[in-house]
Amino acid sequence: MAAPMQRWVGRGRHWTFARVDGGSCHRREAPTGSTSNRIRGRSSVAQQPLYTTQKPRKGEHKWAAVVGLEIHAQISSNSKLFSGSQVRFSAPPNSLVSFFDASLPGTLPVLNRRCVEAAVMTGLALNCHINKKSLFDRKHYFYADLPAGYQITQQRLPIAVNGSLTYGVCAGKKQSQVIPKTVRIKQIQLEQDSGKSLHDDLRSQTLIDLNRAEGQLRVDANISVHHPGEPLGVRTEVKNLNSIRFLAKAIDYEIQRQINELENGGEILNETRSFHYQLGCTMSMRDKEGKQDYRWFMPEPNLPPLVLYDATSLPAGADPQQVINIDQIRETLPELPSVTRERLVQQYGMLLEHSFTLLNEVGLLEFFQNVIKETRAEPKKVTSWVLNTFLGYLKQQNLAVSESPVTPSALAELLDLLDSRTISSAAAKQVFEELWKREGKTPGQIVSEKQLELMEDRGALEQLCHSMMEAHPQVVMDLKKGNPRVINKLIGLVRKATQNRADPAMIKEILEKKLSS
Amino acid sequence: MLKGSVTIKDGCGHVPSLATGDLFFLLAWLLWWQAGHEDHAGPDPPRKVSAALKQGQITPTELCQKCLSLIKKTKFLNAYITVSEEVALKQAEESEKRYKNGQSLGDLDGIPVAVKDNFSTSGIETTCASNMLKGYIPPYNATVVQKLLDQGALLMGKTNLDEFAMGSGSTDGIFGPVKNPWSYSKQYREKRKQNPHNKNEDSDWLITGGSSGGSAAAVSAFTCYAALGSDTGGSTRNPAAHCGLVGFKPSYGLVSRHGLIPLVNSMDVPGILTRCVDDAAVVLGALAGPDPKDSTTVHDPINKPFMLPSLADVSKLCIGIPKEYLIPELSSEVRSLWSKAADLFESEGAKVLEVSLPHTSYSIVCYHVLCTTEVASNMARFDGLQYGHRCDINVSTEAMYAATRREGFNDVVRGRILSGNFFLLKENYENYFVKAQKVRRLIANDFVNAFNSGVDVLLTPTTLSEAVPYLEFIKEDNRTRSAQDDIFTQAVNMAGLPAVSIPVALSNQGLPIGLQFIGRAFCDQQLLTVAKWFEKQVQFPVIQLQELMDDCSAVLENEKSASVSLKQ
């Protein structure tokens, strides 16, 4: 039960990153299942960087942008929010439609317990106040993929309110510095999804799939600009952004568009806009989807108020199947990413940005922890190998952690060999490359086959160093003239001659000894 | 909203312990009919009837065929929209097998029933008397229909109503008005002959009341023994009063609404129309209980089955008479009967108190706002896309919606949708809908206060007067009529309380007049127990339909046979 929620939280965190840093698109599969059940979260970021036009004129005000996001996330559940029909990814169209989903007259909504629990868990994870009583409302509008003519949602009294999510923004020259930021969560509401419209322009018809839309995260962004210290500007809503990169682009575009519009004496209309993926711009939705329905919400009369309990309010002898206990859900809450990150920093002396990377890649943290468990190597060493070498190989070949040819045990063994000074780190890289080939050999086997063990024979190494110094008198001369850096050149030459099997520290020690004598 | 207050229930007061001798009356009646019905005294003791049924003295198939025959004879009443003859005969056959094997499903096994045409019936057209749903065949049964079938009842057909149950006359559906069987009763005809002004008898037939008029006419004309109506503002009790029947509206949340095509979700309740209180209790017993498909049904344990004791003594009862229900529009006959009924209770030792329900007068206008708002919302799904009527226009989706809805709904429905959408507009919402909800709470609290003052049951009129002729009725529009006719029944729906209309006596014109009892929420059994006592005292006469049934000699040979009553 915990896993899907974690995924949701992960996604929530994801967009915040992407939005702020301008859109690094993480390779993340679309969640499975359809979005017939969803949680809608609303958040707002009021303190945006200040924007100016490209050529600010003298005495001109700066602009501030305000962005609020409506995030539609599917709940990982077996059946839909208000009906018993299943949720399954890529099921044939209209194959998972109950009488209620088709809005047959006389059918009534029945709330899915799992969805309520997921919403409570999300609320807890996002530091929200959980409303012990929440209500359902009908939002009215006519559209072909909304068969009832209204959508059941939570407008007046949603299940959770007033939360926050702290996240980090990468900054600095190498994007290596993490600046903590907080986004406020206005509310989390349970909401029925509409169907999916498939427009067939060729035959000028629209097909409706009442399985509901496929399971993507969808975001609507509300954007306005104003001069700091003045009232907020008129906002526009950019709808149906389904990738983090496009979300960031749409917001950036819209902010600039509004500024340009206002500076050219125009005005911003309170309108719905869409983002054109190819052109990279937003445009007014003149079709029916963009039209406002001026009817207000009405209480959903077929669903009694949703009442939640905690340990103190739980009625004695209550049937656990009939009640939802907030405290019980809190206990099942997995460790939240921020806590995990903090733990990683504390426990392993890791840099905060490294902890972010470990959590952002699905399965990477688990991989890391498994290596740590099995190796004697220092955590810093493990971190460096997992984040640099291992992740680098994955990215290069566009693989997921689960698809890695190198197991945590193999990496652990490799790091042990390194730790025990059996091999040099250069040799270790070589072993890793061999491991990546999936030939089923252990690091130990590879080391002995390729004879990569460190040279233990000090006498032989001293001999090698001596002949290397004789072969390169100019370098020795430079060294003696007081340029200590050139020693690295000699070290490199000796290492090469040993096929990376010699310990560079030992080489350096021998060389220095010989030079000073 | 009221739904928030669907929590059960302070004590139901003085519910007497259950007696066991009153079971099987329906079966008893079957035997009585078969045996030649020598008098009005009622059926034989249950055990003997059960035995007789087991011996096959009467079979469900015979009974079914007799009812089908009566349905055909009374077709001109327009009580039925769809007669499900084949289904009923097949069900009768199965019932017969069960009886033969001694595996009867209970009190309703083999009993012909009818269902208002706004309950979904699997495989049987369900129209709501609207063009919009003409030809619509639901793929599922409403929970209440399924429960009747599970008990072995025979579904004779779907009964007529006002379009989408919006009306109080059963005159405003696409299949035409329902005629009140009492128009053709000996009692009414004889009174009319005495009056020389009444000449044009054939066109001067009476309305049934509504909106469950088809169900009322079906039971009243003996084409079935019980019928389902729906009750949102009085739609079961009103036609029951006009047709001389028991019309019962259960507590909101006691009976599932799943499959009932809604009018006002927060007030709709499946209603029960029968010829006596015990019958209503048996049907209620079959229907009541939580339904996982209707989240507004209550889960607390309810005493089942609803067997009603014969109350020997009313001295522990307190009857409340709401003073606000005495209004100038009330006919003198109804007023007088109401007063006599109060006297009756008092003379039998009950405490009779005048009580006040001060917000009663706001009920109609409040209902208008709440009803039309929910109607506008509920009717939004009828867009011609998935089921029901679709117009030929395909210029655009919007044009198709508009034309479909214009063609599909009558003026009454369209008028309510328009009003409802007006009340739903952002600028009107607070001023109308929110205020109406507050008023609704006040109205509900009026009842709570009355019951908290010690009253067990309220006694009121059901209607202003007896049934009026159709030509008289249609002089006013639907809205005016509904507002007038629901005046005593509607507040009960606002409060979610149980209420029952009991036929009391015939008016000077020879037409039935009913009185209404209102009980505490979820004290339905107590309410029906009181109603049963009252029913026994008033001995309401049986409708005499011998003229109507002239051709039905095989079924109803004489006057006596027409005086069918289920009463014990």
Side-chain angles (χ1 to χ4, degrees):
Chain A
M1 196 174 287
M5 281 316 305
Q6 217 173 3
R7 205 168 71 193
W8 192 88
V9 172
R11 271 187 264 158
R13 188 189 63 240
H14 235 154
W15 62 256
T16 14
F17 266 117
R19 188 191 57 67
V20 176
D21 71 18
S24 62
C25 191
H26 301 257
R27 192 187 54 76
R28 177 75 59 114
E29 299 304 319
T32 57
S34 75
T35 59
S36 56
N37 318 326
R38 66 192 203 198
I39 292 180
R40 186 153 112 179
R42 289 172 187 214
S43 60
S44 62
V45 182
Q47 288 159 340
Q48 282 284 301
L50 296 180
Y51 286 80
T52 52
T53 46
Q54 278 149 0
K55 293 176 186 172
R57 278 161 289 180
K58 210 180 175 184
E60 191 171 29
H61 290 303
K62 285 191 167 184
W63 291 95
V66 178
V67 179
L69 302 179
E70 219 179 275
I71 303 154
H72 305 252
Q74 184 213 341
I75 298 172
S76 171
S77 63
N78 296 325
S79 61
K80 297 195 168 103
L81 179 56
F82 294 124
S83 83
S85 52
Q86 280 180 42
V87 175
R88 207 169 62 228
F89 183 60
S90 70
N94 292 312
S95 62
L96 303 175
V97 181
S98 72
F99 299 147
F100 173 79
D101 300 329
S103 297
L104 291 196
T107 53
L108 301 169
V110 178
L111 187 56
N112 182 337
R113 181 192 174 91
R114 158 78 190 120
C115 296
V116 176
E117 290 170 341
V120 171
M121 203 178 246
T122 309
L124 292 173
L126 294 174
N127 303 305
C128 291
H129 168 75
I130 308 292
N131 281 323
K132 288 199 186 138
K133 180 180 163 187
S134 61
L135 303 172
F136 290 93
D137 304 284
R138 290 180 180 181
K139 180 186 181 182
H140 296 94
Y141 62 95
F142 280 108
Y143 199 64
D145 57 19
L146 188 70
Y150 57 81
Q151 177 186 39
I152 304 177
T153 182
Q154 294 196 296
Q155 169 71 14
R156 293 165 301 158
L157 194 52
I159 192 160
V161 293
N162 295 338
S164 66
L165 176 68
T166 301
Y167 58 97
V169 183
C170 296
K173 274 182 191 166
K174 292 178 179 174
Q175 298 281 296
S176 61
Q177 195 190 348
V178 177
I179 301 167
K181 292 254 180 186
T182 299
V183 66
R184 291 168 293 160
I185 312 287
K186 182 171 176 258
Q187 63 187 62
I188 294 174
Q189 59 195 65
L190 283 163
E191 183 174 283
Q192 180 188 28
D193 204 358
S194 61
K196 185 168 66 170
S197 292
L198 305 158
H199 301 290
D200 180 351
D201 291 332
L202 207 63
R203 296 188 188 87
S204 73
Q205 63 181 9
T206 298
L207 304 170
I208 308 291
D209 182 3
L210 292 179
N211 283 358
R212 302 327 201 216
E214 301 256 295
Q216 280 167 317
L217 182 78
R218 276 201 332 274
V219 181
D220 303 334
N222 283 269
I223 299 145
S224 70
V225 298
H226 67 287
H227 293 301
E230 291 178 14
L232 299 185
V234 175
R235 69 183 166 85
T236 61
E237 183 177 14
V238 185
K239 283 191 96 78
N240 292 331
L241 295 157
N242 57 14
S243 98
I244 290 149
R245 197 155 56 97
F246 289 142
L247 173 65
K249 278 191 172 178
I251 291 170
D252 287 342
Y253 176 87
E254 185 59 19
I255 289 169
Q256 203 54 54
R257 183 192 73 83
Q258 291 189 10
I259 292 170
N260 292 346
E261 189 73 37
L262 291 169
E263 297 205 331
N264 291 325
E267 61 171 340
I268 303 302
L269 301 174
N270 179 209
E271 63 179 354
T272 307
R273 300 177 71 87
S274 62
F275 181 69
H276 195 290
Y277 300 97
Q278 279 96 39
L279 302 178
C281 65
T282 67
M283 33 181 82
S284 182
M285 290 168 85
R286 301 202 188 279
D287 71 343
K288 57 218 167 211
E289 245 184 297
K291 275 186 196 161
Q292 290 278 341
D293 194 313
Y294 294 102
R295 288 177 295 170
W296 197 229
F297 292 82
M298 186 189 95
E300 167 55 64
N302 296 317
L303 288 169
L306 171 57
V307 178
L308 306 172
Y309 298 91
D310 59 18
T312 55
S313 67
L314 194 69
D319 178 359
Q321 289 304 306
Q322 295 291 327
V323 296
I324 288 177
N325 184 339
I326 300 167
D327 291 328
Q328 215 174 338
I329 294 172
R330 200 190 308 271
E331 283 165 23
T332 63
L333 204 64
E335 184 179 76
L336 296 177
S338 59
V339 178
T340 311
R341 286 193 293 265
E342 203 172 305
R343 182 168 56 79
L344 290 170
V345 170
Q346 294 286 325
Q347 200 172 336
Y348 304 121
M350 182 184 292
L351 291 173
L352 187 60
E353 59 259 36
H354 289 163
S355 71
F356 272 105
T357 315
L358 272 184
L359 264 77
N360 282 1
E361 194 67 33
V362 176
L364 193 61
L365 176 63
E366 201 190 345
F367 187 94
F368 169 80
Q369 284 172 328
N370 285 336
V371 176
I372 285 270
K373 250 185 255 167
E374 295 185 36
T375 186
R376 291 187 304 270
E378 286 294 309
K380 277 193 177 171
K381 193 64 131 183
V382 179
T383 307
S384 159
W385 269 81
V386 168
L387 292 184
N388 297 325
T389 314
F390 178 69
L391 192 56
Y393 271 75
L394 285 177
K395 293 278 178 204
Q396 200 183 0
Q397 303 196 14
N398 204 19
L399 293 176
V401 174
S402 61
E403 296 165 319
S404 157
V406 176
T407 63
S409 306
L411 183 56
E413 191 189 330
L414 176 59
L415 294 180
D416 278 349
L417 291 171
L418 191 61
D419 187 61
S420 62
R421 305 173 64 85
T422 311
I423 53 173
S424 67
S425 66
K429 295 261 161 67
Q430 233 178 307
V431 175
F432 188 87
E433 200 175 327
E434 288 299 315
L435 283 173
W436 202 263
K437 291 178 182 163
R438 268 186 225 272
E439 285 170 350
K441 289 172 189 158
T442 66
Q445 286 167 333
I446 295 167
V447 167
S448 63
E449 273 176 28
K450 305 240 164 198
Q451 297 183 330
L452 296 172
E453 296 94 342
L454 274 179
M455 271 177 76
E456 300 286 353
D457 186 346
R458 191 180 169 102
L461 198 58
E462 280 181 0
Q463 186 61 45
L464 196 60
C465 287
H466 183 75
S467 47
M468 201 58 74
M469 281 168 74
E470 286 195 332
H472 297 87
Q474 188 59 45
V475 178
V476 176
M477 194 82 86
D478 287 351
L479 264 168
K480 287 188 171 165
K481 278 182 187 165
N483 187 357
R485 282 192 184 174
V486 288
I487 195 168
N488 290 333
K489 190 170 181 184
L490 276 179
I491 295 171
L493 289 166
V494 176
R495 285 180 68 195
K496 203 172 177 187
T498 63
Q499 291 176 307
N500 285 328
R501 289 166 59 216
D503 178 3
M506 197 192 278
I507 300 170
K508 193 177 179 193
E509 185 212 330
I510 293 169
L511 286 172
E512 278 171 348
K513 209 171 175 181
K514 283 186 185 294
L515 286 164
S516 62
S517 63
Chain B
M1 288 295 292
L2 194 75
K3 60 191 167 57
S5 68
V6 182
T7 51
I8 292 199
K9 96 199 140 185
D10 47 358
C12 290
H14 329 286
V15 181
S17 61
L18 294 174
T20 51
D22 300 324
L23 295 166
F24 306 120
F25 54 90
L26 284 164
L27 302 182
W29 175 76
L30 300 182
L31 179 68
W32 172 67
W33 191 0
Q34 182 72 12
H37 31 73
E38 291 301 318
D39 54 42
H40 292 244
D44 289 336
R47 272 182 203 158
K48 199 173 164 187
V49 178
S50 279
L53 269 160
K54 282 173 193 163
Q55 288 155 20
Q57 288 179 15
I58 183 163
T59 69
T61 305
E62 285 169 341
L63 189 59
C64 183
Q65 278 164 342
K66 284 169 185 171
C67 285
L68 286 169
S69 162
L70 270 173
I71 288 172
K72 281 168 196 156
K73 299 293 175 196
T74 60
K75 196 169 186 296
F76 67 95
L77 292 176
N78 209 11
Y80 287 82
I81 291 172
T82 304
V83 180
S84 46
E85 181 167 348
E86 277 181 34
V87 172
L89 284 169
K90 192 160 179 288
Q91 288 163 343
E93 204 178 299
E94 284 161 13
S95 172
E96 201 159 324
K97 278 184 204 157
R98 288 192 294 270
Y99 274 109
K100 276 182 183 157
N101 297 331
Q103 292 168 334
S104 155
L105 295 173
D107 298 345
L108 289 170
D109 202 346
I111 303 296
V113 297
V115 172
K116 190 177 181 179
D117 207 25
N118 59 351
F119 288 95
S120 301
T121 44
S122 180
I124 301 172
E125 191 179 359
T126 299
T127 67
C128 287
S130 175
N131 269 325
M132 188 56 91
L133 284 180
K134 222 172 162 182
Y136 167 64
I137 299 176
Y140 74 101
N141 278 324
T143 297
V144 286
V145 171
Q146 191 58 52
K147 283 186 169 185
L148 286 176
L149 299 180
D150 290 346
Q151 296 282 312
L154 317 179
L155 179 58
M156 307 309 291
K158 305 294 294 292
T159 57
N160 205 346
L161 65 155
D162 290 300
E163 185 163 332
F164 282 101
M166 297 181 202
S168 61
S170 300
T171 53
D172 285 336
I174 55 159
F175 300 102
V178 185
K179 297 177 178 178
N180 191 329
W182 284 84
S183 317
Y184 310 95
S185 69
K186 185 180 173 189
Q187 292 103 321
Y188 179 61
R189 296 254 154 165
E190 279 178 356
K191 293 282 183 187
R192 288 186 68 79
K193 275 178 201 159
Q194 291 163 16
N195 186 341
H197 300 295
N198 295 323
K199 285 178 185 170
N200 191 6
E201 285 191 2
D202 286 340
S203 65
D204 219 8
W205 51 270
L206 308 157
I207 59 140
T208 53
S211 63
S212 312
S215 288
V219 177
S220 178
F222 307 109
T223 65
C224 60
Y225 304 114
L228 294 185
S230 60
D231 196 313
T232 310
S235 276
T236 294
R237 290 159 286 158
N238 174 291
H242 286 329
C243 295
L245 299 172
V246 171
F248 177 56
K249 175 221 171 286
S251 296
Y252 185 88
L254 183 60
V255 178
S256 169
R257 294 180 293 112
H258 172 250
L260 167 61
I261 297 175
L263 175 57
V264 186
N265 297 287
S266 63
M267 299 185 210
D268 291 343
V269 177
I272 299 166
L273 291 128
T274 55
R275 290 192 279 271
C276 71
V277 176
D278 273 324
D279 290 16
V282 164
V283 177
L284 180 64
L287 303 184
D291 179 6
K293 291 173 180 158
D294 178 357
S295 308
T296 63
T297 51
V298 294
H299 281 265
D300 302 60
I302 290 156
N303 287 332
K304 278 183 83 172
F306 283 80
M307 289 179 296
L308 302 180
S310 293
L311 204 56
D313 174 16
V314 291
S315 65
K316 284 178 185 158
L317 271 183
C318 181
I319 306 290
I321 309 290
K323 63 177 182 186
E324 288 81 6
Y325 282 51
L326 184 60
I327 53 171
E329 297 89 340
L330 186 63
S331 78
S332 57
E333 278 188 283
V334 177
R335 196 176 63 214
S336 146
L337 280 171
W338 183 21
S339 158
K340 277 185 190 167
D343 291 345
L344 171 67
F345 275 102
E346 199 156 39
S347 66
E348 294 293 322
K351 195 171 160 190
V352 178
L353 281 182
E354 186 185 85
V355 296
S356 175
L357 303 171
H359 299 94
T360 300
S361 60
Y362 305 111
S363 164
I364 295 288
V365 65
C366 172
Y367 177 85
H368 180 71
V369 175
L370 295 177
C371 170
T372 56
T373 308
E374 278 199 38
V375 163
S377 177
N378 288 333
M379 295 291 152
R381 70 187 58 210
F382 300 107
D383 55 15
L385 275 181
Q386 297 185 82
Y387 45 78
H389 178 72
R390 186 194 291 188
C391 70
D392 295 328
I393 294 166
N394 58 5
V395 188
S396 70
T397 313
E398 286 87 350
M400 191 273 283
Y401 284 165
T404 295
R405 289 164 70 79
R406 188 173 60 245
E407 293 166 14
F409 294 136
N410 70 4
D411 288 351
V412 176
V413 178
R414 287 216 306 282
R416 290 202 194 184
I417 291 172
L418 199 63
S419 308
N421 281 329
F422 175 81
F423 297 135
L424 273 176
L425 289 178
K426 273 176 195 167
E427 62 265 36
N428 295 333
Y429 190 76
E430 285 287 326
N431 276 339
Y432 293 95
F433 186 73
V434 172
K435 277 189 183 162
Q437 280 188 302
K438 289 177 181 170
V439 174
R440 178 180 185 174
R441 174 65 71 189
L442 292 174
I443 291 167
N445 285 345
D446 280 355
F447 285 104
V448 172
N449 294 337
F451 289 122
N452 283 346
S453 73
V455 167
D456 296 304
V457 167
L458 295 167
L459 173 62
T460 78
T462 309
T463 54
L464 289 167
S465 66
E466 73 275 71
V468 298
Y470 175 72
L471 294 174
E472 181 71 24
F473 185 82
I474 58 171
K475 282 178 186 166
E476 303 272 19
D477 68 16
N478 179 293
R479 197 188 148 200
T480 312
R481 276 293 181 192
S482 299
Q484 286 169 357
D485 296 343
D486 290 347
I487 195 135
F488 300 127
T489 48
Q490 201 173 68
V492 165
N493 296 77
M494 301 263 197
L497 305 175
V500 62
S501 178
I502 302 294
V504 180
L506 296 183
S507 69
N508 291 334
Q509 287 195 80
L511 292 174
I513 289 175
L515 290 177
Q516 173 178 240
F517 292 95
I518 303 167
R520 289 191 176 99
F522 298 102
C523 292
D524 300 56
Q525 191 183 31
Q526 180 195 30
L527 173 72
L528 289 177
T529 304
V530 173
K532 180 180 169 181
W533 177 88
F534 182 72
E535 175 188 55
K536 194 178 172 192
Q537 309 301 311
V538 297
Q539 288 292 312
F540 179 75
V542 171
I543 185 172
Q544 294 174 20
L545 285 176
Q546 76 284 3
E547 285 179 45
L548 174 65
M549 306 297 182
D550 268 350
D551 299 335
C552 304
S553 49
V555 182
L556 301 162
E557 287 149 1
N558 51 43
E559 184 184 331
K560 277 182 184 170
S561 68
S563 332
V564 176
S565 165
L566 300 187
K567 282 191 294 185
Q568 305 225 23

